[in-house]
Each structure stands twice: as structure tokens, then as C-alpha cells.
């Protein structure tokens, strides 16, 4: 039982390049979330998916797209990376539809955009 | 604007003493609050939560206090242990929109032997 896994762990991109961050959970959770963490800012919600087939914007969705591929997987795509997207990205999941439940986080993806 | 604020970026406490981490919020629509703990190179893990209908919730060495009139919550850890050294985030959930959490900036707690 791996919980929430994220790939890659670390990535360097050039401005304008695209990439997809992968997230998978093996806990049969229904809801999944993408956050970014920046120094002095805490975690900010990018997108979430309350159930398979649905996605909704969070606090900072601009420049990102998401796909809830199936119940297990929730990917985050940067179509044209910008230096402002340099951050640590965390994926999380909850059993039910509420973020008030215990969220289980992955280990994070550290992204550097040059 | 930062709706959830942790004004102390860091805190150093001696092992065995009480650690008190503070959090303030500005939005009256928040009615549920959580604390998460984060070790380096790991994701956050849930620690404790409290609903606005309560003013205290206790779980072992961890107690969260909520003062609604002051829009302030605090996390007490007693006694503090070296393994408690981590970054602590408070988070708030609004009445409308329970899928969303608003996190504070975090406080780095260091427990000294």
C-alpha cells in the first residue's frame, strides 16, 4: 500500500516547455487535489477532482490543466511553463468529497523553470 | 490577501516544554480548522482538527484551541519531543466550499534537546 505517489520527484524545464506531473493513489479515494507550495505562501489549491470524471478550479488554476484519468490517477499539465511556476507541487486525496477529511499527500514534485 | 496567517515563521522550544503555535484568520465564513505537519522532502500529514462549534479538541499530546471572537487558533504540544521538529501548517475550510482549504504560511518548529 503505497498511498499517494508522484512522478517525477524533480524536474527542470525551460520557459515555454510543457510537462505533465503524475499522481496516483491506491487507497480507493474518490477525491484528489493538486497544490503548490511556495516560500512564505503555504499551500495553495490549483485544481481538485471531487470524483472520477469531474474537475474544478481552485485558488490558482491559471497556466495549468488537469485530467482525472480514472479513479486512481490525477495528472497536472503545464502547457507552456513560466518561471512563476517554479514551485513544489503536492497531490493529495480524500476518501469522500470534503477537504475537511484527512487529506493524504504525496511526497511532492520539485519543479524549476528557467 | 492572506486569509489565514501564521505570523511566526519559526519557533524554538526545549524538549519537554510546551510548544504553542498560533494562527489567525480573517474570514468569518471559515467554520472548520485543521493542522498539518510536514517533514522535509515529505508531504504534509494530518495532525488534528476542530469545528467552530467547539473551542477545544485534544488528541494525546496535541490540543487545538479556537477563539472565534478573536479569529484565532492555537496548537499546543506538550511535552514537546525531538520528533515534533517540523513545519506546521494551519488550514481553514469555509462553510460554502468544503472542497477547499486555505493554508497559512507555516511555522517551523525546532525542538532542542
Amino acid at each position: 500500500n503505497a498511498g499517494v505517489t508522484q512522478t517525477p520527484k524533480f524536474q527542470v524545464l525551460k520557459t515555454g516547455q510543457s510537462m505533465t506531473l503524475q499522481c496516483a493513489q491506491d487507497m480507493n479515494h474518490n477525491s484528489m487535489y493538486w497544490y503548490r507550495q511556495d516560500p512564505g505562501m503555504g499551500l495553495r489549491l490549483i485544481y481538485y477532482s471531487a470524483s472520477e470524471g469531474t474537475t474544478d478550479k481552485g485558488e490558482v488554476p491559471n497556466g495549468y490543466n488537469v485530467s482525472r484519468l480514472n479513479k486512481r490517477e490525477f495528472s497536472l499539465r503545464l502547457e507552456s511553463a513560466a518561471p512563476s511556476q517554479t514551485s513544489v507541487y503536492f497531490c493529495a486525496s480524500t476518501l469522500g468529497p470534503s477537504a475537511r477529511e484527512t487529506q493524504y499527500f504525496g511526497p511532492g514534485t520539485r519543479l524549476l523553470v528557467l | 490577501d492572506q486569509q489565514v496567517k501564521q505570523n511566526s515563521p519559526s519557533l524554538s522550544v526545549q524538549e519537554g516544554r510546551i510548544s504553542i503555535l498560533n494562527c489567525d484568520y480573517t474570514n468569518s465564513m471559515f467554520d472548520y480548522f485543521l493542522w498539518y505537519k510536514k517533514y522535509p522532502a515529505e508531504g504534509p500529514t494530518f495532525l488534528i482538527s476542530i469545528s467552530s462549534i467547539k473551542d477545544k479538541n485534544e488528541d494525546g499530546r496535541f490540543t487545538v484551541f479556537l477563539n472565534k471572537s478573536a479569529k484565532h487558533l492555537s496548537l499546543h504540544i506538550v511535552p514537546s519531543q525531538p520528533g515534533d521538529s517540523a513545519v506546521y501548517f494551519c488550514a481553514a475550510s469555509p462553510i460554502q466550499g468544503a472542497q477547499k482549504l486555505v493554508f497559512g504560511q507555516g511555522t517551523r518548529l525546532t525542538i532542542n534537546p
Side-chain angles (χ1 to χ4, degrees):
Chain A
N1 192 340
V4 179
T5 57
Q6 293 183 236
T7 55
K9 285 187 168 50
F10 179 71
Q11 183 74 43
V12 179
L13 289 179
K14 293 181 179 178
T15 297
Q17 288 185 317
S18 62
M19 80 162 292
T20 300
L21 283 66
Q22 306 286 356
C23 173
Q25 51 88 13
D26 62 1
M27 297 174 283
N28 202 34
H29 282 179
N30 292 291
S31 300
M32 298 184 74
Y33 310 80
W34 275 107
Y35 291 91
R36 59 178 289 174
Q37 184 195 3
D38 302 296
M41 297 291 290
L43 285 85
R44 290 181 294 169
L45 182 65
I46 304 171
Y47 271 95
Y48 66 96
S49 171
S51 61
E52 187 179 351
T54 67
T55 60
D56 285 287
K57 295 178 180 179
E59 184 183 352
V60 288
N62 291 345
Y64 305 95
N65 287 302
V66 290
S67 295
R68 183 75 183 267
L69 304 171
N70 48 56
K71 191 172 185 179
R72 288 188 65 245
E73 298 172 290
F74 189 37
S75 62
L76 179 72
R77 183 160 178 84
L78 287 70
E79 290 291 351
S80 179
S84 61
Q85 294 178 305
T86 293
S87 189
V88 181
Y89 291 85
F90 290 100
C91 177
S93 69
T94 54
L95 178 60
S98 174
R100 297 179 177 199
E101 301 175 38
T102 298
Q103 291 198 39
Y104 294 85
F105 284 83
T109 294
R110 187 174 295 272
L111 177 66
L112 175 62
V113 183
L114 301 175
Chain B
D1 63 335
Q2 194 81 18
Q3 297 185 68
V4 178
K5 298 180 184 179
Q6 294 176 257
N7 292 317
S8 298
S10 62
L11 177 66
S12 185
V13 175
Q14 193 170 2
E15 182 178 359
R17 301 280 192 138
I18 184 170
S19 295
I20 300 176
L21 294 90
N22 294 304
C23 180
D24 297 294
Y25 61 96
T26 57
N27 192 336
S28 301
M29 300 306 289
F30 291 141
D31 70 337
Y32 197 85
F33 304 88
L34 309 92
W35 285 92
Y36 278 82
K37 173 181 179 179
K38 184 183 178 306
Y39 292 120
E42 294 184 11
T45 55
F46 171 75
L47 195 55
I48 193 169
S49 62
I50 188 167
S51 166
S52 61
I53 63 173
K54 294 185 173 182
D55 54 17
K56 175 183 173 181
N57 189 27
E58 191 171 352
D59 183 2
R61 296 186 297 114
F62 303 91
T63 303
V64 56
F65 295 92
L66 176 62
N67 183 333
K68 290 185 289 293
S69 60
K71 294 192 178 66
H72 176 84
L73 63 154
S74 60
L75 174 68
H76 292 210
I77 306 172
V78 55
S80 299
Q81 299 174 355
D84 296 330
S85 295
V87 177
Y88 290 78
F89 292 97
C90 69
S93 176
I95 296 169
Q96 300 286 347
Q99 299 88 359
K100 301 179 183 179
L101 291 183
V102 179
F103 283 84
Q105 310 96 308
T107 295
R108 181 178 302 278
L109 175 64
T110 302
I111 305 302
N112 302 308

